Amino acid sequence: MMSDPLRRSFKPEHLMTFMTVLKKIDEYRWEIPVTYKPGMRVPGMIFASEKLLSKIQADEAVEQVANVAHLPGIVGYSLAMPDIHWGYGFPIGGVAATDPSEGGVISPGGIGFDINCGVRLVKTNLRREEVLPRLRPLISALFQHIPCGVGREGNIRTGRRDERKVLLGGSRWAVHAGWGTNEDLEFTEARGALEGADPDAVSERAYERGRGQLGTLGSGNHFLEVQYVDCIFDEKAAKVFGLELGQVVLMLHSGSRGFGYQVCDDSLALMRRALGKYRISLPDLQLSCAPVYSEEGRQYLGAMRCAANYAWANRQCLTGLAREVFEEFFGRSFRDLGMELIYDVAHNIAKFEDYGIGGKKKTLCVHRKGATRAFPPGHPELPGDYREIGQPVIIPGDMGRFSYLAAGTQQALEETFGTSCHGAGRLLSRHAAVKAARGRSIERELEAKGIIVMARGKKGVAEEQPEAYKDVNDVVDAVHGAGIVRKVARMRPLGAIKG
Amino acid sequence: MKIYGRTHEELFTNGALGFYSLVTDWGPGFAGGYGERKKKIVRLCFSAENMQELFFAWLRELVFYFSARRMMLEDFHFSFSSQTSLELRAREILFDPRKHEPKIEIKAVTYHLFEVTQGPEGFEATVIFDV
């Protein structure tokens, strides 16, 4: 047998002991003691209700929270949001902050293959009643105009010089190229571009894989959804975000496409080789990492920031394409249609942020994998208009039920490095979801509920059927109950395009 | 995905065929329809710490070729000079998405639960792709 001494398989007996291992702190907090597994440097903390916890334990996610606690330089807790589910190395819904000044590491697996996968929410001044009679042709027009699905290339071509500009400028490049407005930048996390991107740290293979994919939605769980506001929880915040009942909004979920996948793939190979060099022992090779201040760490950060910027440029281009469809369809300019960006937020990223640790100000490297930044009112990184309310936290659910808009809180800043959940979280594996859809037409089932879904492949819709996800209401209730976001509004889907 | 092979050559060939069956409607005769589109012979070299890592490198190469270049490989001629070094000659086929529907988008090969074991019947590999 060929085996690697660094790798240990997950043990089924771990799965059976979680209820006895987890220490209930309160209704929404469950601790994994640091003694659970040899080598854990900090405890784990899962934010979830008891109802959600029973679902979370169905896969290996809890074990993965404990594995993340092995990372050198990890600070506080290995954190997990209530939408946590099994990922590669890191669970999806996991958060880990490391202290570079104490040998803290950066782990590409803590960001994921789809670097800066994220969501944006665009408002319109259209009412649900105006859209409903023409819903199918509207969704069809979006489906025709916006490239989506496996292998679908886009029409936005960039030469080598422009490729570098995309990687350095992110959304700013897209706005200069005519795909958006300066106001869009104002309402995008990090204004749509991370500083410190290094195009020379990116492999030729990543450039090659990203070519032709700008302005494409992708496949899997990526989507563009037309929704309407069906419930408002916080009138004041909703007003500041520009939302009212019955209003139509667009939610868009995509990332850095093949470019980001290749950056992560290249970096994992690099980090895998670095483990021995830095004498780092981990329970799962997918957590491979290197000190932030190492050659490998710097190289990954430079490339990861390029991929993050690529993703912001991509979502900005997709927004431009969606605006074109609405302009053509309704015969009014996108400005007349009130198509303003509420916010764009990353949920697969690592960023350097300042926190008070043990009475000292520390700059930490915060990994968020399937977790959304949720900064509180008054935070200097927020757009001026939102300074009183807190950062918009966009939480897509599934295509049959709801999505949410929430706001960040001080509690999140103090407990979760300013982070909350990123969605409903998978309940069924893709394989199990396809199996559960046999003999059914998910599109027809959704249409019976008044939701029009258009997708390139039937399998993709089956994988993304509502039953494949936890109920987002439960997830949002948990983060709201824990105080790490404040619910603002709930949206219902009208129609969606998918890969 | 579970991949079996009596020899290293068979394991590596089946790794490619298994991967193509996930991402395309690959099957008997698939390549036949592409006779005129067959392109050049490529030569690839890999080296790694051990056979397990070599197999991982091979799968990464297949993912890259298909995702970035829309290229599939066939007619493999493997030459293992040791447990840590491989030279390969193969023929490129251009995948045409207008004729064959791509099934799923594979982002990468993962180390999650990845292993290659050897038993009396040959080799068995377990691999999970990120989709």
Side-chain angles (χ1 to χ4, degrees):
Chain A
M1 176 173 166
M2 283 169 275
S3 66
D4 191 308
L6 287 166
R7 190 186 161 280
R8 272 176 275 153
S9 294
F10 293 109
K11 303 279 193 297
E13 58 267 30
H14 291 153
L15 302 177
M16 297 166 65
T17 55
F18 284 142
M19 271 329 273
T20 54
V21 166
L22 292 175
K23 184 176 151 197
K24 184 173 182 176
I25 306 297
D26 63 24
E27 285 307 300
Y28 299 108
R29 288 167 180 80
W30 304 80
E31 187 181 294
I32 307 172
V34 72
T35 51
Y36 167 61
K37 223 173 166 180
M40 283 175 69
R41 295 166 191 263
V42 293
M45 180 69 80
I46 299 171
F47 289 80
S49 60
E50 201 153 345
K51 180 182 174 188
L52 283 169
L53 200 66
S54 62
K55 291 172 180 158
I56 289 167
Q57 289 177 87
D59 64 26
E60 292 166 354
V62 180
E63 187 73 21
Q64 291 186 322
V65 179
N67 288 345
V68 170
H70 290 70
L71 290 177
I74 188 168
V75 176
Y77 288 92
S78 165
L79 297 164
M81 298 297 123
D83 52 336
I84 179 182
H85 57 284
W86 180 89
Y88 303 107
F90 263 69
I92 295 161
V95 183
T98 59
D99 182 353
S101 69
E102 300 287 334
V105 294
I106 177 122
S107 172
I111 291 111
F113 284 102
D114 193 359
I115 295 165
N116 189 5
C117 184
V119 212
R120 57 171 52 193
L121 191 62
V122 178
K123 61 190 165 192
T124 76
N125 55 22
L126 294 163
R127 309 280 313 161
R128 177 182 174 233
E129 313 81 76
E130 293 173 77
V131 170
L132 268 182
R134 302 170 68 194
L135 183 60
R136 182 172 281 282
L138 175 63
I139 300 299
S140 180
L142 288 165
F143 190 56
Q144 296 305 322
H145 195 62
I146 297 174
C148 56
V150 184
R152 226 15 106 106
E153 291 206 342
N155 298 316
I156 301 168
R157 299 287 160 183
T158 48
R160 188 62 192 240
R161 193 182 292 176
D162 261 354
E163 279 177 346
R164 290 176 71 91
K165 286 182 185 168
V166 171
L167 306 188
L168 291 168
S171 288
R172 205 167 51 237
W173 172 86
V175 167
H176 287 316
W179 294 103
T181 66
N182 284 327
E183 292 78 41
D184 291 341
L185 300 180
E186 181 66 20
F187 295 102
T188 302
E189 178 176 342
R191 293 182 64 83
L194 293 182
E195 295 296 321
D198 178 5
D200 294 328
V202 174
S203 71
E204 277 306 314
R205 290 195 156 201
Y207 280 102
E208 195 177 337
R209 210 168 155 186
R211 225 156 265 154
Q213 295 204 331
L214 214 49
T216 65
L217 198 56
S219 61
N221 60 0
H222 294 155
F223 64 82
L224 189 151
E225 207 164 275
V226 179
Q227 310 170 334
Y228 73 95
V229 179
D230 104 306
C231 187
I232 285 181
F233 304 96
D234 183 329
E235 289 283 352
K236 185 183 169 193
K239 198 171 174 191
V240 170
F241 294 151
L243 290 182
E244 56 184 49
L245 280 176
Q247 186 178 345
V248 171
V249 295
L250 296 186
M251 187 177 281
L252 196 157
H253 179 216
S254 189
S256 50
R257 313 288 293 107
F259 183 86
Y261 310 161
Q262 192 62 37
V263 165
C264 183
D265 188 59
D266 293 336
S267 308
L268 267 172
L270 182 75
M271 299 293 186
R272 165 76 185 85
R273 292 193 292 272
L275 288 179
K277 180 176 170 185
Y278 298 108
R279 298 177 183 278
I280 297 171
S281 177
L282 296 168
D284 186 342
L285 284 181
Q286 204 64 32
L287 296 171
S288 291
C289 56
V292 171
Y293 294 145
S294 65
E295 189 190 331
E296 294 84 355
R298 286 179 207 277
Q299 187 176 336
Y300 172 66
L301 277 167
M304 185 273 292
R305 288 163 173 154
C306 287
N309 296 348
Y310 183 105
W312 270 311
N314 187 38
R315 288 199 291 276
Q316 188 60 55
C317 291
L318 288 165
T319 305
L321 288 168
R323 282 171 172 160
E324 285 178 356
V325 171
F326 272 66
E327 286 183 332
E328 176 76 21
F329 194 84
F330 291 101
R332 291 154 62 188
S333 75
F334 78 83
R335 288 189 190 278
D336 276 352
L337 288 162
M339 294 183 76
E340 293 168 5
L341 183 60
I342 294 177
Y343 206 60
D344 176 303
V345 73
H347 53 227
N348 280 5
I349 205 160
K351 292 173 88 175
F352 290 94
E353 294 165 0
D354 293 336
Y355 292 93
I357 305 290
K360 287 184 188 166
K361 184 179 151 190
K362 290 265 192 182
T363 300
L364 304 180
C365 176
V366 183
H367 299 67
R368 297 188 177 98
K369 181 181 181 183
T372 310
R373 199 187 71 174
F375 279 173
H379 198 285
E381 283 204 30
L382 298 189
D385 293 6
Y386 298 162
R387 211 54 73 78
E388 260 189 63
I389 299 298
Q391 182 209 300
V393 179
I394 306 165
I395 308 167
D398 60 70
M399 56 187 174
R401 286 176 283 192
F402 305 101
S403 291
Y404 277 85
L405 183 65
T409 64
Q410 186 62 29
Q411 184 100 17
L413 198 70
E414 288 163 11
E415 268 194 83
T416 59
F417 305 105
T419 311
S420 188
C421 65
H422 88 307
R426 281 200 89 86
L427 191 57
L428 299 179
S429 70
R430 290 175 199 277
H431 183 72
V434 170
K435 211 170 155 187
R438 271 188 201 143
R440 297 162 55 197
S441 166
I442 304 297
E443 286 101 324
R444 250 180 268 146
E445 287 176 19
L446 288 166
E447 197 174 344
K449 291 183 186 174
I451 301 162
I452 306 295
V453 174
M454 295 188 186
R456 294 280 163 212
K458 281 204 177 311
K459 198 175 170 201
V461 179
E463 287 174 350
E464 295 300 312
Q465 62 181 291
E467 293 82 358
Y469 285 89
K470 293 171 200 155
D471 185 340
V472 73
N473 293 313
D474 293 339
V475 173
V476 173
D477 283 348
V479 281
H480 179 87
I484 56 175
V485 294
R486 225 172 55 249
K487 289 197 276 191
V488 174
R490 189 176 71 180
M491 287 79 73
R492 262 183 195 271
L494 289 167
I497 65 166
K498 295 192 65 67
Chain B
M1 189 166 75
K2 287 274 186 196
I3 306 154
Y4 302 92
R6 281 166 296 180
T7 61
H8 286 137
E9 287 80 358
E10 201 171 277
L11 179 75
F12 278 59
T13 301
N14 288 344
L17 301 184
F19 169 69
Y20 294 141
S21 73
L22 288 176
V23 295
T24 70
D25 51 358
W26 181 89
F30 176 82
Y34 283 82
E36 73 288 358
R37 303 188 75 92
K38 281 186 184 178
K39 299 195 77 175
K40 64 180 187 214
I41 300 289
V42 287
R43 288 171 204 281
L44 303 168
C45 297
F46 303 93
S47 57
E49 285 171 30
N50 53 41
M51 184 56 71
Q52 182 162 296
E53 290 292 325
L54 208 55
F55 188 62
F56 194 87
W58 167 234
L59 296 173
R60 284 182 68 214
E61 194 72 8
L62 293 169
V63 171
F64 173 75
Y65 254 73
F66 187 77
S67 307
R69 299 179 180 168
R70 291 278 162 236
M71 288 290 181
M72 300 167 74
L73 300 174
E74 65 163 12
D75 292 344
F76 306 109
H77 295 277
F78 296 103
S79 171
F80 292 92
S81 51
S82 67
Q83 289 275 316
T84 60
S85 174
L86 162 66
E87 277 185 51
L88 162 82
R89 191 160 52 82
R91 189 186 299 275
E92 284 183 337
I93 311 171
L94 180 66
F95 176 77
D96 185 347
R98 290 167 301 182
K99 289 187 179 174
H100 295 270
E101 189 189 343
K103 277 159 69 177
I104 53 171
E105 182 175 42
I106 287 191
K107 295 177 190 167
V109 193
T110 75
Y111 277 111
H112 190 82
L113 302 180
F114 175 73
E115 66 179 5
V116 179
T117 57
Q118 185 174 7
E121 306 272 309
F123 298 92
E124 178 182 328
T126 305
V127 60
I128 295 176
F129 294 102
D130 189 6
V131 296

